[in-house]
Amino acid sequence: MEPPVAAVVRHAVVSRALVLALSLLARLLFRPYDTSASLHPPCLSSPSFPSPAPSYNSTAAVAISSLAVWDGVHFARSAECGYEYEQSFAFLPLLPASMALLSRTLFAPLVPVLGYRAVLVLSGHVLNNVAFVAAAAYFYRLSVLILKDSGAAYRASVLFCFNPASVFYSSLYSESLYALFSLGGLFYLFSGANTVAMIMLAVSGSARSNGALNAGYFCFQALLQAYDAAIQKKRPILAVQALITGFLRSTFIFIPFFAFQAYGYLNICIHGNSDELRPWCKAKLPLLYSFIQSHYWGVGFLRYFQVKQLPNFLLASPVLSLAVYSIAHYTKMLHQLFQSNNIHEKIIATVEGRSVELCESSDVATVLKSEFSSGLNNKSQAHTEVKKRKSAASEATSASLESDRSTGRILKVDKDECPILVLPFILHLTFMTFTAFFVMHVQVSTRFLSASPPIYWAASRILVSPRGSSKRWGYFIVVYFIAYILLGSLLFPNFYPFT
């Protein structure tokens, strides 16, 4: 049988091929609503990598360049010319920098053929589609680690591959890179590779501003470590050490985002050409990103609550409804978990990495061998403990189910029970949903929430629920996902509004 991870990767590749084919077909059949994206004024300053003499195929170059629509125009411009205008700083640097790097290295031979701008657009599309496939693989591995149910993880991963915001993951948008580094970072965090997790989650903050919220997962880890040290081990010093370490790791996640804000401050407030300082430069906390969102896009609490925006609220209602259901569903399950008599033992088992997924496939049978506990001990003790856990995991997957039950250090996982590790994901989704509905342009919710795992976890449970009402909602979810893939592939490439 095909390994689940390989099957998820196959679904991800098929979904990208489908979205790209639909998008290209829509461009061939329909005329774009706005053709201004094809305009290409010269950079304000000389580009650092100018195109050679125009001996390239201009028709192909224009066709490829026109694939940059909506925000993609800004990302391509920043990759080619740098950050020229104040509002361009709303588009964080990971995608433009990656596009520029690929265009000057791997795709450099194409520049004389297509021109630099077309190669930038092409490299961005290739990068984002490859990043999405990798993100889907991390989504599956993370879901197995959290849910301890390979079937539910697989169904959720397939839903992620065909999510309603699919067109953005195959365009010049930052969703794919954000999903790759956030999902990958969370997988490594809950696997125990804290250093790799810290780097990846920090990088996610240079793709999208909400990547900085991933610092909360390190806070959750620190609280579990402190609980284990103070309650179980009776060593308050280790608890304080865990909290300090968690604080430092969480702070590291913010560095890329705030470094970019500092870069904007230097360029506009210190070295800018304007005779008068911009208003945000005079603020006690000169945060460029929040000023741009408020000043240029009208983002703010309840500012989008207008009668004329009702169609956009309707457009966002399916994903918001699914998010609210996910929050309510897992909150209820977590409440039941915390009301149980053995909650203390379950917390300690989670911290010490003693929950083992009893799955048939070897690639998903892993121990929660996180450094929740090993980080609190000295290096030699940690190394010995991790080796023991790996050995326990190997024995558990090769032995029968009966022998697993007889193993004292291994806890049987109830797949109908909510794991405590779901808690930070629900808190994260709750904050994101509140922000999307009350603060942002609400139609952006479809892609803003599209990388949040609990939405797909809850949807996968609905799809297999035997109850009649759940089956009807399952059909609704499938229709919603298919309809938005088709609608997005038709409208978005032709510059019609879609989320």
Side-chain angles (χ1 to χ4, degrees):
M1 292 181 63
E2 185 179 25
V5 173
V8 169
V9 169
R10 178 170 54 83
H11 282 299
V13 172
V14 170
S15 71
R16 293 313 93 198
L18 174 64
V19 170
L20 287 172
L22 289 173
S23 299
L24 292 175
L25 181 63
R27 287 300 297 266
L28 292 174
L29 296 179
F30 303 99
R31 178 179 174 82
Y33 176 74
D34 186 346
T35 58
S36 62
S38 60
L39 300 177
H40 183 216
C43 299
L44 295 183
S45 58
S46 299
S48 55
F49 193 84
S51 296
S55 59
Y56 50 83
N57 188 329
S58 59
T59 303
V62 171
I64 294 175
S65 297
S66 66
L67 296 177
V69 296
W70 293 104
D71 290 358
V73 176
H74 298 281
F75 281 117
R77 180 76 178 186
S78 297
E80 182 179 12
C81 304
Y83 288 88
E84 301 175 302
Y85 306 101
E86 184 179 68
Q87 59 267 36
S88 64
F89 282 85
F91 305 94
L92 271 62
L94 182 60
L95 178 57
S98 301
M99 291 165 57
L101 178 63
L102 284 175
S103 299
R104 301 178 188 190
T105 54
L106 184 63
F107 293 100
L110 295 178
V111 173
V113 180
L114 298 174
Y116 186 49
R117 176 177 166 79
V119 172
L120 280 172
V121 174
L122 178 63
S123 64
H125 278 81
V126 172
L127 172 67
N128 280 342
N129 283 276
V130 172
F132 178 82
V133 174
Y138 275 125
F139 185 99
Y140 172 76
R141 300 176 71 186
L142 174 65
S143 299
V144 170
L145 204 60
I146 301 301
L147 301 179
K148 306 174 183 64
D149 183 345
S150 59
Y154 178 76
R155 291 190 299 272
S157 300
V158 173
L159 288 174
F160 174 72
C161 290
F162 296 93
N163 74 76
S166 284
V167 68
F168 298 102
Y169 287 90
S170 291
S171 305
L172 284 190
Y173 271 61
S174 55
E175 268 68 22
S176 287
L177 289 178
Y178 169 76
L180 170 61
F181 286 101
S182 61
L183 294 173
L186 292 176
F187 167 75
Y188 287 114
L189 171 63
F190 290 107
S191 297
N194 283 331
T195 301
V196 177
M198 193 166 56
I199 294 173
M200 292 191 72
L201 293 179
V203 172
S204 74
S206 63
R208 292 188 59 85
S209 59
N210 53 291
L213 296 177
N214 289 323
Y217 291 96
F218 274 109
C219 294
F220 176 78
Q221 180 198 51
L223 290 174
L224 285 183
Q225 289 180 340
Y227 181 91
D228 177 64
I231 305 301
Q232 179 71 7
K233 297 183 173 65
K234 308 296 183 183
R235 300 179 66 181
I237 299 299
L238 289 182
V240 174
Q241 178 184 336
L243 293 174
I244 294 175
T245 302
F247 172 79
L248 294 176
R249 287 171 175 166
S250 300
T251 302
F252 182 82
I253 305 301
F254 286 91
I255 289 179
F257 177 75
F258 282 109
F260 186 63
Q261 302 308 297
Y263 172 73
Y265 182 84
L266 289 174
N267 276 267
I268 297 175
C269 302
I270 304 299
H271 304 300
N273 298 323
S274 178
D275 295 332
E276 183 178 354
L277 279 179
R278 300 291 293 149
W280 67 273
C281 295
K282 306 173 185 177
K284 292 182 179 180
L285 182 61
L287 194 60
L288 173 57
Y289 186 81
S290 61
F291 173 80
I292 292 173
Q293 292 292 333
S294 175
H295 182 73
Y296 291 99
W297 280 276
V299 173
F301 185 66
L302 299 182
R303 291 178 65 177
Y304 214 61
F305 277 61
Q306 305 172 33
V307 175
K308 65 180 181 180
Q309 301 299 347
L310 183 59
N312 287 323
F313 277 90
L314 293 176
L315 187 65
S317 60
V319 72
L320 290 173
S321 300
L322 193 52
V324 171
Y325 170 81
S326 305
I327 294 167
H329 172 74
Y330 282 111
T331 298
K332 180 181 179 181
M333 295 184 70
L334 286 167
H335 177 73
Q336 295 173 350
L337 176 66
F338 281 97
Q339 292 292 319
S340 62
N341 295 327
N342 61 341
I343 180 61
H344 171 75
E345 288 77 8
K346 291 178 180 177
I347 293 177
I348 298 304
T350 300
V351 173
E352 294 183 354
R354 286 189 274 128
S355 284
V356 176
E357 296 88 345
L358 302 180
C359 303
E360 294 180 359
S361 55
S362 60
D363 66 315
V364 299
T366 57
V367 176
L368 292 179
K369 56 181 179 58
S370 67
E371 296 177 4
F372 289 164
S373 59
S374 63
L376 303 178
N377 302 316
N378 59 54
K379 293 183 178 180
S380 61
Q381 290 175 330
H383 181 68
T384 303
E385 184 66 17
V386 170
K387 289 181 66 176
K388 288 181 179 178
R389 293 171 189 164
K390 288 181 178 180
S391 177
S394 176
E395 293 173 2
T397 54
S398 61
S400 65
L401 190 60
E402 288 75 19
S403 64
D404 286 328
R405 288 171 179 165
S406 65
T407 305
R409 280 189 54 83
I410 297 178
L411 302 178
K412 184 180 182 299
V413 176
D414 184 359
K415 294 181 180 181
D416 293 326
E417 184 180 83
C418 180
I420 193 173
L421 294 180
V422 170
L423 177 58
F425 292 89
I426 297 304
L427 294 175
H428 182 269
L429 177 58
T430 301
F431 181 85
M432 297 266 287
T433 304
F434 178 89
T435 303
F437 186 75
F438 289 104
V439 180
M440 298 171 51
H441 291 188
V442 71
Q443 70 270 25
V444 180
S445 302
T446 302
R447 60 185 176 92
F448 184 64
L449 303 176
S450 62
S452 186
I455 290 179
Y456 306 98
W457 296 342
S460 70
R461 293 179 67 95
I462 294 175
L463 291 177
V464 296
S465 177
R467 294 183 299 176
S469 60
S470 295
K471 284 186 177 181
R472 288 192 295 270
W473 283 111
Y475 292 137
F476 169 79
I477 290 173
V478 172
V479 171
Y480 161 54
F481 276 48
I482 294 175
Y484 270 55
I485 289 177
L486 295 176
L487 193 63
S489 300
L490 171 65
L491 297 177
F492 178 81
N494 287 304
F495 240 117
Y496 287 91
F498 178 71
T499 71

